[in-house]
Amino acid sequence: MDNRPRLFLTTAFLCGVLLTLGFKDFYPDLERRFRRRRAPVNSLAGAGLDPRAQIELEDHTTGDARDGAQDVEVPEGIEACVGNTPLFRIKSLSEETGCDILAKAEFLNGAGGSPKDRVALNMIKTAEEQGLLTPHSGDTIYEGTVGSTGISLASICRARGYLAHICMPSDQATEKSDLLLKLGAIVDRVPPAPIIDPMHFVNRARNLAADHTADPSRLGRGYFADQFENPANWQAHFEGTGPEIYQQCGKKLDAFVAGAGTGGTIAGVAQFLKPRLRNLTIVLADPQGSGLFNRIKYGVMFDTLEKEGTRRRSQIDTVVEGIGINRVTANFEAGRELIDDAIKVTDEEALAMARWLAEKDGIFVGSSSSVNCAAAVRFASQIGPGHRIVTILCDSGTRHLSKFWAQAGNVGGRTDSELDDIIGPGPGPHAYRQVLL
Protein backbone atom coordinates (compact mmCIF):
# COMPACT_ATOMS: atom_id res chain seq x y z
CA MET A 1 0.00 0.00 0.00
CA ASP A 2 1.25 3.43 -0.92
CA ASN A 3 2.19 5.42 2.25
CA ARG A 4 2.62 8.75 0.54
CA PRO A 5 -0.86 10.20 1.40
CA ARG A 6 -0.34 9.36 5.02
CA LEU A 7 3.08 11.05 4.95
CA PHE A 8 1.62 14.17 3.32
CA LEU A 9 -1.06 14.42 6.03
CA THR A 10 1.49 14.07 8.82
CA THR A 11 3.75 16.68 7.29
CA ALA A 12 0.89 19.11 6.80
CA PHE A 13 -0.23 18.70 10.40
CA LEU A 14 3.26 19.42 11.73
CA CYS A 15 3.61 22.51 9.52
CA GLY A 16 0.26 23.83 10.85
CA VAL A 17 1.38 23.45 14.43
CA LEU A 18 4.68 25.22 13.76
CA LEU A 19 2.93 28.04 11.90
CA THR A 20 0.44 28.55 14.71
CA LEU A 21 3.15 28.75 17.36
CA GLY A 22 5.15 31.24 15.35
CA PHE A 23 2.18 33.50 14.61
CA LYS A 24 1.25 33.59 18.33
CA ASP A 25 4.58 35.22 19.17
CA PHE A 26 4.58 37.50 16.12
CA TYR A 27 0.95 38.73 16.26
CA PRO A 28 1.12 41.02 19.38
CA ASP A 29 4.01 42.99 17.89
CA LEU A 30 2.15 43.25 14.59
CA GLU A 31 -0.97 44.51 16.38
CA ARG A 32 0.98 47.19 18.26
CA ARG A 33 2.54 48.45 15.03
CA PHE A 34 -0.88 48.58 13.36
CA ARG A 35 -2.48 50.55 16.24
CA ARG A 36 0.42 52.99 16.46
CA ARG A 37 -0.06 53.89 12.79
CA ARG A 38 -3.79 54.50 13.26
CA ALA A 39 -3.43 56.43 16.60
CA PRO A 40 -4.42 60.19 16.64
CA VAL A 41 -1.82 62.89 16.94
CA ASN A 42 -0.26 63.03 20.42
CA SER A 43 -2.42 65.26 22.69
CA LEU A 44 0.59 67.18 23.98
CA ALA A 45 1.93 67.81 20.51
CA GLY A 46 -1.54 68.73 19.32
CA ALA A 47 -1.73 71.33 22.06
CA GLY A 48 1.50 72.88 20.87
CA LEU A 49 3.61 71.28 23.61
CA ASP A 50 6.78 69.33 23.21
CA PRO A 51 5.88 65.73 24.10
CA ARG A 52 9.50 65.14 25.06
CA ALA A 53 9.52 67.98 27.61
CA GLN A 54 9.40 67.16 31.39
CA ILE A 55 6.03 67.89 32.98
CA GLU A 56 5.81 69.22 36.58
CA LEU A 57 2.54 68.90 38.51
CA GLU A 58 1.64 71.38 41.31
CA ASP A 59 -0.70 70.68 44.27
CA HIS A 60 -2.79 73.79 45.07
CA THR A 61 -4.96 72.16 47.79
CA THR A 62 -4.29 73.09 51.43
CA GLY A 63 -3.26 70.57 54.04
CA ASP A 64 -6.62 70.87 55.82
CA ALA A 65 -8.51 70.22 52.58
CA ARG A 66 -6.41 67.13 51.87
CA ASP A 67 -7.19 65.84 55.37
CA GLY A 68 -10.92 66.47 54.95
CA ALA A 69 -10.97 69.08 57.76
CA GLN A 70 -13.43 72.01 57.76
CA ASP A 71 -13.41 75.39 59.39
CA VAL A 72 -15.85 75.35 62.33
CA GLU A 73 -16.67 77.93 64.94
CA VAL A 74 -15.45 76.77 68.35
CA PRO A 75 -17.58 78.03 71.29
CA GLU A 76 -15.96 80.64 73.49
CA GLY A 77 -15.74 80.17 77.26
CA ILE A 78 -17.70 78.18 79.80
CA GLU A 79 -20.75 80.34 79.07
CA ALA A 80 -21.10 78.47 75.77
CA CYS A 81 -21.84 75.32 77.78
CA VAL A 82 -25.02 76.82 79.22
CA GLY A 83 -28.30 75.65 77.68
CA ASN A 84 -29.26 73.05 75.07
CA THR A 85 -29.44 70.35 77.73
CA PRO A 86 -30.73 66.88 76.74
CA LEU A 87 -34.31 65.72 77.16
CA PHE A 88 -34.67 62.01 77.92
CA ARG A 89 -37.33 59.49 78.88
CA ILE A 90 -37.21 58.23 82.47
CA LYS A 91 -37.73 54.55 81.74
CA SER A 92 -38.98 53.29 85.09
CA LEU A 93 -41.54 56.05 85.67
CA SER A 94 -42.78 55.87 82.09
CA GLU A 95 -43.26 52.10 82.23
CA GLU A 96 -45.00 52.27 85.61
CA THR A 97 -47.44 55.04 84.65
CA GLY A 98 -48.04 54.35 80.96
CA CYS A 99 -47.16 57.97 80.21
CA ASP A 100 -43.99 59.24 78.63
CA ILE A 101 -42.33 61.06 81.53
CA LEU A 102 -39.51 63.08 80.04
CA ALA A 103 -36.79 64.84 82.01
CA LYS A 104 -34.96 67.99 80.97
CA ALA A 105 -31.44 67.32 82.24
CA GLU A 106 -30.67 70.80 83.56
CA PHE A 107 -28.01 69.40 85.88
CA LEU A 108 -25.88 69.12 82.72
CA ASN A 109 -25.54 72.87 82.30
CA GLY A 110 -21.80 73.39 82.10
CA ALA A 111 -21.05 76.24 84.50
CA GLY A 112 -22.82 75.64 87.79
CA GLY A 113 -24.63 72.42 86.93
CA SER A 114 -28.24 73.61 87.30
CA PRO A 115 -30.92 75.67 85.51
CA LYS A 116 -29.60 78.65 87.45
CA ASP A 117 -26.76 78.82 84.93
CA ARG A 118 -29.25 80.25 82.44
CA VAL A 119 -30.50 82.78 84.97
CA ALA A 120 -27.06 83.87 86.17
CA LEU A 121 -25.76 84.36 82.64
CA ASN A 122 -28.82 86.31 81.52
CA MET A 123 -28.84 88.55 84.59
CA ILE A 124 -25.16 89.38 84.05
CA LYS A 125 -25.56 90.01 80.33
CA THR A 126 -28.58 92.22 80.92
CA ALA A 127 -26.74 94.24 83.56
CA GLU A 128 -23.79 94.67 81.18
CA GLU A 129 -26.11 95.92 78.44
CA GLN A 130 -27.63 98.41 80.89
CA GLY A 131 -24.20 99.67 81.92
CA LEU A 132 -24.54 98.36 85.47
CA LEU A 133 -21.57 96.01 85.22
CA THR A 134 -18.18 96.37 83.56
CA PRO A 135 -15.88 93.33 83.21
CA HIS A 136 -12.49 93.43 84.95
CA SER A 137 -13.31 96.71 86.70
CA GLY A 138 -13.56 95.35 90.22
CA ASP A 139 -17.36 95.15 90.10
CA THR A 140 -18.78 92.59 92.54
CA ILE A 141 -22.08 90.77 92.15
CA TYR A 142 -24.05 90.19 95.36
CA GLU A 143 -26.85 87.66 95.65
CA GLY A 144 -29.01 85.99 98.27
CA THR A 145 -29.53 82.33 97.44
CA VAL A 146 -29.98 78.91 98.99
CA GLY A 147 -27.07 77.73 96.87
CA SER A 148 -27.61 76.89 93.21
CA THR A 149 -27.88 80.45 91.88
CA GLY A 150 -24.83 81.38 93.91
CA ILE A 151 -22.81 78.52 92.43
CA SER A 152 -23.82 79.51 88.90
CA LEU A 153 -23.01 83.15 89.59
CA ALA A 154 -19.65 82.32 91.14
CA SER A 155 -18.62 80.32 88.08
CA ILE A 156 -19.86 82.77 85.45
CA CYS A 157 -18.55 85.78 87.40
CA ARG A 158 -15.04 84.36 87.18
CA ALA A 159 -15.50 83.64 83.49
CA ARG A 160 -16.62 87.20 82.73
CA GLY A 161 -14.31 89.19 85.00
CA TYR A 162 -16.31 89.78 88.19
CA LEU A 163 -16.23 88.77 91.83
CA ALA A 164 -19.14 87.10 93.62
CA HIS A 165 -20.37 87.67 97.17
CA ILE A 166 -23.03 85.15 98.16
CA CYS A 167 -25.35 85.28 101.18
CA MET A 168 -27.14 82.06 102.07
CA PRO A 169 -29.03 80.54 105.00
CA SER A 170 -26.85 78.62 107.41
CA ASP A 171 -29.18 75.61 107.39
CA GLN A 172 -28.46 74.71 103.76
CA ALA A 173 -26.25 71.78 102.81
CA THR A 174 -22.59 72.55 103.48
CA GLU A 175 -21.55 71.14 100.09
CA LYS A 176 -22.95 74.27 98.48
CA SER A 177 -21.00 76.78 100.54
CA ASP A 178 -17.86 74.64 100.23
CA LEU A 179 -18.18 74.69 96.44
CA LEU A 180 -18.75 78.45 96.44
CA LEU A 181 -15.51 78.96 98.33
CA LYS A 182 -13.64 76.76 95.88
CA LEU A 183 -14.98 78.94 93.05
CA GLY A 184 -13.54 82.02 94.72
CA ALA A 185 -16.75 83.54 96.05
CA ILE A 186 -17.11 85.29 99.38
CA VAL A 187 -19.74 83.40 101.37
CA ASP A 188 -21.90 84.68 104.22
CA ARG A 189 -23.89 81.93 105.95
CA VAL A 190 -26.54 83.81 107.90
CA PRO A 191 -29.14 82.43 110.34
CA PRO A 192 -32.54 81.77 108.75
CA ALA A 193 -34.84 84.76 109.26
CA PRO A 194 -38.17 86.12 107.96
CA ILE A 195 -38.02 88.26 104.84
CA ILE A 196 -38.85 91.38 106.88
CA ASP A 197 -35.63 90.93 108.87
CA PRO A 198 -32.65 92.98 107.59
CA MET A 199 -30.48 89.91 108.19
CA HIS A 200 -32.55 87.72 105.89
CA PHE A 201 -30.07 86.39 103.32
CA VAL A 202 -31.69 88.32 100.44
CA ASN A 203 -31.84 91.61 102.37
CA ARG A 204 -28.25 91.23 103.51
CA ALA A 205 -27.04 90.79 99.92
CA ARG A 206 -28.99 93.85 98.83
CA ASN A 207 -27.56 95.97 101.64
CA LEU A 208 -24.00 94.81 101.05
CA ALA A 209 -24.24 95.73 97.36
CA ALA A 210 -25.48 99.21 98.24
CA ASP A 211 -22.70 99.69 100.82
CA HIS A 212 -20.09 98.62 98.27
CA THR A 213 -21.27 101.14 95.68
CA ALA A 214 -21.46 103.94 98.23
CA ASP A 215 -17.93 103.37 99.52
CA PRO A 216 -15.45 105.46 97.47
CA SER A 217 -12.50 103.54 98.90
CA ARG A 218 -13.64 100.26 97.33
CA LEU A 219 -12.80 99.19 93.82
CA GLY A 220 -15.70 98.91 91.36
CA ARG A 221 -19.39 98.82 92.12
CA GLY A 222 -21.69 96.47 93.98
CA TYR A 223 -24.49 94.94 91.88
CA PHE A 224 -27.41 93.14 93.55
CA ALA A 225 -28.55 90.45 91.11
CA ASP A 226 -31.99 90.09 92.79
CA GLN A 227 -32.97 86.74 91.28
CA PHE A 228 -36.40 86.70 92.93
CA GLU A 229 -37.56 89.96 91.33
CA ASN A 230 -35.26 90.39 88.31
CA PRO A 231 -37.23 89.72 85.07
CA ALA A 232 -34.05 88.48 83.41
CA ASN A 233 -34.74 85.31 85.43
CA TRP A 234 -37.98 84.18 83.76
CA GLN A 235 -36.84 85.65 80.44
CA ALA A 236 -33.87 83.26 80.41
CA HIS A 237 -36.32 80.34 80.43
CA PHE A 238 -38.67 82.00 77.95
CA GLU A 239 -35.77 82.41 75.53
CA GLY A 240 -33.97 79.13 76.26
CA THR A 241 -35.61 76.35 78.27
CA GLY A 242 -39.08 76.75 76.76
CA PRO A 243 -38.03 76.71 73.09
CA GLU A 244 -35.69 73.79 73.70
CA ILE A 245 -38.47 71.68 75.24
CA TYR A 246 -40.82 72.63 72.41
CA GLN A 247 -38.38 71.43 69.76
CA GLN A 248 -37.12 68.38 71.65
CA CYS A 249 -40.69 67.14 72.13
CA GLY A 250 -41.46 67.54 68.46
CA LYS A 251 -44.07 70.14 69.49
CA LYS A 252 -46.10 67.39 71.16
CA LEU A 253 -46.59 67.78 74.91
CA ASP A 254 -49.50 67.33 77.32
CA ALA A 255 -48.11 68.68 80.60
CA PHE A 256 -45.16 70.53 82.09
CA VAL A 257 -44.47 69.90 85.79
CA ALA A 258 -41.99 71.97 87.80
CA GLY A 259 -41.38 73.39 91.23
CA ALA A 260 -40.82 77.06 92.01
CA GLY A 261 -38.34 78.87 94.22
CA THR A 262 -38.01 82.21 92.52
CA GLY A 263 -40.65 81.03 90.04
CA GLY A 264 -38.56 81.90 86.99
CA THR A 265 -38.46 78.43 85.43
CA ILE A 266 -42.16 77.64 85.51
CA ALA A 267 -43.14 81.21 84.55
CA GLY A 268 -40.75 81.46 81.61
CA VAL A 269 -41.49 78.00 80.23
CA ALA A 270 -45.25 78.50 80.63
CA GLN A 271 -45.15 81.84 78.84
CA PHE A 272 -43.40 80.25 75.87
CA LEU A 273 -45.30 76.95 75.64
CA LYS A 274 -48.88 77.94 76.46
CA PRO A 275 -49.55 80.07 73.35
CA ARG A 276 -48.14 77.32 71.13
CA LEU A 277 -49.75 74.30 72.82
CA ARG A 278 -53.33 75.25 73.61
CA ASN A 279 -54.13 72.01 75.43
CA LEU A 280 -51.00 72.03 77.57
CA THR A 281 -51.40 71.77 81.34
CA ILE A 282 -48.88 73.58 83.55
CA VAL A 283 -48.53 71.94 86.97
CA LEU A 284 -46.72 73.35 90.00
CA ALA A 285 -44.81 70.80 92.11
CA ASP A 286 -44.66 72.18 95.65
CA PRO A 287 -42.87 70.73 98.70
CA GLN A 288 -44.46 70.59 102.11
CA GLY A 289 -44.27 73.83 104.05
CA SER A 290 -44.50 76.02 100.93
CA GLY A 291 -47.45 78.31 100.38
CA LEU A 292 -47.44 78.23 96.57
CA PHE A 293 -49.79 75.24 96.42
CA ASN A 294 -52.54 77.28 98.03
CA ARG A 295 -51.58 80.33 95.97
CA ILE A 296 -52.53 78.35 92.86
CA LYS A 297 -55.44 76.43 94.31
CA TYR A 298 -57.12 79.13 96.38
CA GLY A 299 -55.29 82.40 95.78
CA VAL A 300 -53.89 82.54 99.33
CA MET A 301 -50.25 82.13 100.41
CA PHE A 302 -50.52 79.75 103.35
CA ASP A 303 -49.48 76.27 104.38
CA THR A 304 -50.82 74.05 107.13
CA LEU A 305 -47.36 73.86 108.70
CA GLU A 306 -47.50 77.62 109.33
CA LYS A 307 -50.29 77.25 111.87
CA GLU A 308 -49.42 78.78 115.22
CA GLY A 309 -47.41 76.38 117.36
CA THR A 310 -46.48 74.03 114.51
CA ARG A 311 -43.74 75.87 112.64
CA ARG A 312 -40.26 74.49 113.33
CA ARG A 313 -38.13 76.60 110.98
CA SER A 314 -37.93 80.24 109.96
CA GLN A 315 -38.20 79.28 106.30
CA ILE A 316 -40.47 76.68 104.75
CA ASP A 317 -40.63 73.56 106.86
CA THR A 318 -39.14 70.88 104.61
CA VAL A 319 -35.95 68.96 103.96
CA VAL A 320 -36.20 70.05 100.31
CA GLU A 321 -33.89 72.84 99.14
CA GLY A 322 -34.22 75.14 96.15
CA ILE A 323 -37.99 75.22 95.67
CA GLY A 324 -40.89 76.32 97.82
CA ILE A 325 -41.51 79.75 99.27
CA ASN A 326 -44.03 81.62 101.42
CA ARG A 327 -44.03 84.99 99.74
CA VAL A 328 -45.04 86.36 96.36
CA THR A 329 -42.21 87.09 93.91
CA ALA A 330 -42.30 89.03 90.64
CA ASN A 331 -40.92 86.07 88.70
CA PHE A 332 -43.58 83.67 89.93
CA GLU A 333 -46.35 86.21 89.32
CA ALA A 334 -45.13 86.63 85.73
CA GLY A 335 -46.53 83.18 84.97
CA ARG A 336 -48.98 82.48 87.78
CA GLU A 337 -52.12 82.87 85.68
CA LEU A 338 -50.78 80.27 83.24
CA ILE A 339 -50.40 77.60 85.95
CA ASP A 340 -53.37 75.23 85.81
CA ASP A 341 -52.84 72.96 88.80
CA ALA A 342 -50.62 72.31 91.80
CA ILE A 343 -49.49 69.12 93.53
CA LYS A 344 -48.16 68.96 97.08
CA VAL A 345 -45.28 66.52 97.70
CA THR A 346 -44.32 65.45 101.22
CA ASP A 347 -40.76 65.04 102.42
CA GLU A 348 -41.29 61.30 102.68
CA GLU A 349 -42.38 61.12 99.05
CA ALA A 350 -39.43 63.22 97.91
CA LEU A 351 -36.93 61.05 99.80
CA ALA A 352 -38.50 57.84 98.49
CA MET A 353 -38.52 59.15 94.89
CA ALA A 354 -34.81 60.03 95.14
CA ARG A 355 -34.05 56.45 96.18
CA TRP A 356 -36.33 55.09 93.43
CA LEU A 357 -34.57 57.03 90.67
CA ALA A 358 -31.17 55.85 91.86
CA GLU A 359 -32.36 52.24 92.26
CA LYS A 360 -34.28 51.88 89.02
CA ASP A 361 -32.62 54.30 86.60
CA GLY A 362 -29.20 55.16 88.00
CA ILE A 363 -30.28 58.80 88.23
CA PHE A 364 -28.74 60.56 91.24
CA VAL A 365 -30.42 63.91 91.79
CA GLY A 366 -31.21 66.38 94.53
CA SER A 367 -34.32 67.20 96.49
CA SER A 368 -36.09 69.57 94.07
CA SER A 369 -35.71 67.08 91.20
CA SER A 370 -37.27 64.39 93.38
CA VAL A 371 -40.25 66.63 94.13
CA ASN A 372 -40.67 67.32 90.42
CA CYS A 373 -40.66 63.62 89.55
CA ALA A 374 -43.05 62.72 92.36
CA ALA A 375 -45.49 65.37 91.16
CA ALA A 376 -45.12 64.18 87.55
CA VAL A 377 -46.03 60.64 88.59
CA ARG A 378 -48.99 61.88 90.63
CA PHE A 379 -50.27 63.90 87.68
CA ALA A 380 -49.76 60.96 85.30
CA SER A 381 -51.98 58.84 87.55
CA GLN A 382 -54.66 61.54 87.34
CA ILE A 383 -54.75 61.91 83.55
CA GLY A 384 -54.10 58.27 82.68
CA PRO A 385 -51.78 56.47 80.23
CA GLY A 386 -50.84 57.70 76.79
CA HIS A 387 -49.79 61.25 77.66
CA ARG A 388 -46.47 63.05 77.49
CA ILE A 389 -45.22 64.90 80.58
CA VAL A 390 -42.01 66.93 80.88
CA THR A 391 -40.32 67.81 84.15
CA ILE A 392 -36.99 69.24 85.27
CA LEU A 393 -33.99 67.49 86.83
CA CYS A 394 -32.36 70.47 88.52
CA ASP A 395 -29.08 69.39 90.08
CA SER A 396 -26.99 66.44 91.15
CA GLY A 397 -27.44 64.63 94.43
CA THR A 398 -23.79 65.34 95.21
CA ARG A 399 -24.87 68.78 96.48
CA HIS A 400 -27.28 67.20 98.94
CA LEU A 401 -25.22 64.49 100.60
CA SER A 402 -25.01 66.01 104.07
CA LYS A 403 -28.71 66.83 104.39
CA PHE A 404 -31.28 65.41 101.96
CA TRP A 405 -29.41 62.23 101.04
CA ALA A 406 -28.34 61.75 104.64
CA GLN A 407 -32.03 61.26 105.39
CA ALA A 408 -32.75 59.34 102.20
CA GLY A 409 -30.09 56.78 103.11
CA ASN A 410 -28.26 54.34 100.89
CA VAL A 411 -30.01 52.42 98.14
CA GLY A 412 -27.81 49.40 98.82
CA GLY A 413 -28.60 46.31 96.80
CA ARG A 414 -32.34 46.84 96.78
CA THR A 415 -34.20 46.31 93.49
CA ASP A 416 -37.75 45.54 94.64
CA SER A 417 -39.23 48.97 95.42
CA GLU A 418 -42.83 49.52 94.35
CA LEU A 419 -44.01 52.88 93.04
CA ASP A 420 -47.30 52.59 94.94
CA ASP A 421 -45.31 52.55 98.16
CA ILE A 422 -43.59 55.78 97.22
CA ILE A 423 -46.34 58.01 95.87
CA GLY A 424 -49.32 58.29 98.16
CA PRO A 425 -52.79 59.29 97.05
CA GLY A 426 -52.12 62.94 97.91
CA PRO A 427 -54.29 65.25 99.98
CA GLY A 428 -58.00 65.20 99.45
CA PRO A 429 -59.66 68.09 97.61
CA HIS A 430 -60.65 69.79 100.88
CA ALA A 431 -57.59 69.08 103.01
CA TYR A 432 -56.02 72.52 102.56
CA ARG A 433 -59.22 74.48 102.11
CA GLN A 434 -60.31 73.49 105.63
CA VAL A 435 -57.27 75.20 107.13
CA LEU A 436 -58.10 78.41 105.33
CA LEU A 437 -61.71 78.61 106.48
Side-chain angles (χ1 to χ4, degrees), residues 118-276:
R118 301 176 187 266
V119 176
L121 182 57
N122 199 42
M123 290 193 300
I124 291 174
K125 283 184 174 181
T126 301
E128 290 173 341
E129 293 168 359
Q130 296 172 348
L132 300 175
L133 285 172
T134 303
H136 306 290
S137 65
D139 287 352
T140 299
I141 297 176
Y142 293 81
E143 183 59 295
T145 167
V146 297
S148 290
T149 303
I151 294 168
S152 296
L153 278 171
S155 175
I156 297 175
C157 278
R158 287 290 172 171
R160 297 184 75 88
Y162 304 105
L163 298 175
H165 190 129
I166 305 301
C167 301
M168 63 185 299
S170 59
D171 62 349
Q172 300 301 291
T174 57
E175 292 90 340
K176 297 178 181 180
S177 57
D178 290 346
L179 181 54
L180 283 165
L181 292 170
K182 296 295 186 285
L183 288 169
I186 297 173
V187 181
D188 280 347
R189 289 180 66 96
V190 300
I195 188 62
I196 59 173
D197 191 325
M199 286 302 294
H200 183 277
F201 64 98
V202 172
N203 296 332
R204 177 162 175 77
R206 180 188 292 108
N207 294 335
L208 287 171
D211 292 343
H212 183 152
T213 302
D215 188 348
S217 66
R218 299 190 64 179
L219 186 65
R221 296 165 292 182
Y223 173 72
F224 175 51
D226 199 12
Q227 62 165 328
F228 289 92
E229 312 300 327
N230 191 334
N233 183 338
W234 70 260
Q235 290 166 0
H237 297 289
F238 178 83
E239 297 168 0
T241 317
E244 290 172 25
I245 291 173
Y246 186 63
Q247 293 299 327
Q248 290 169 328
C249 285
K251 305 177 183 180
K252 180 184 177 184
L253 179 60
D254 298 300
F256 175 70
V257 180
T262 64
T265 301
I266 196 168
V269 172
Q271 287 205 47
F272 182 86
L273 292 181
K274 271 284 195 175
R276 294 164 176 81

Side-chain angles (χ1 to χ4, degrees), residues 51-65:
R52 293 169 297 178
Q54 183 177 359
I55 300 175
E56 295 183 1
L57 301 178
E58 296 182 1
D59 185 1
H60 292 280
T61 60
T62 64
D64 288 344

Side-chain angles (χ1 to χ4, degrees), residues 192-352:
I195 188 62
I196 59 173
D197 191 325
M199 286 302 294
H200 183 277
F201 64 98
V202 172
N203 296 332
R204 177 162 175 77
R206 180 188 292 108
N207 294 335
L208 287 171
D211 292 343
H212 183 152
T213 302
D215 188 348
S217 66
R218 299 190 64 179
L219 186 65
R221 296 165 292 182
Y223 173 72
F224 175 51
D226 199 12
Q227 62 165 328
F228 289 92
E229 312 300 327
N230 191 334
N233 183 338
W234 70 260
Q235 290 166 0
H237 297 289
F238 178 83
E239 297 168 0
T241 317
E244 290 172 25
I245 291 173
Y246 186 63
Q247 293 299 327
Q248 290 169 328
C249 285
K251 305 177 183 180
K252 180 184 177 184
L253 179 60
D254 298 300
F256 175 70
V257 180
T262 64
T265 301
I266 196 168
V269 172
Q271 287 205 47
F272 182 86
L273 292 181
K274 271 284 195 175
R276 294 164 176 81
L277 299 169
R278 297 294 182 179
N279 296 322
L280 178 70
T281 302
I282 302 294
V283 182
L284 171 73
D286 209 31
Q288 70 177 50
S290 172
L292 294 178
F293 174 89
N294 283 314
R295 179 69 172 168
I296 296 302
K297 288 287 192 179
Y298 312 117
V300 179
M301 287 288 288
F302 184 80
D303 185 83
T304 56
L305 295 178
E306 291 189 286
K307 290 186 299 182
E308 185 175 356
T310 65
R311 190 179 180 88
R312 294 173 296 175
R313 298 174 66 241
S314 297
Q315 294 179 266
I316 63 172
D317 201 357
T318 178
V319 71
V320 174
E321 297 181 357
I323 58 174
I325 197 171
N326 280 316
R327 71 177 191 274
V328 175
T329 67
N331 277 288
F332 184 78
E333 289 298 297
R336 180 175 62 85
E337 293 184 355
L338 300 176
I339 301 175
D340 302 292
D341 201 358
I343 292 176
K344 179 73 71 175
V345 178
T346 67
D347 281 356
E348 289 74 17
E349 289 172 332
L351 293 164

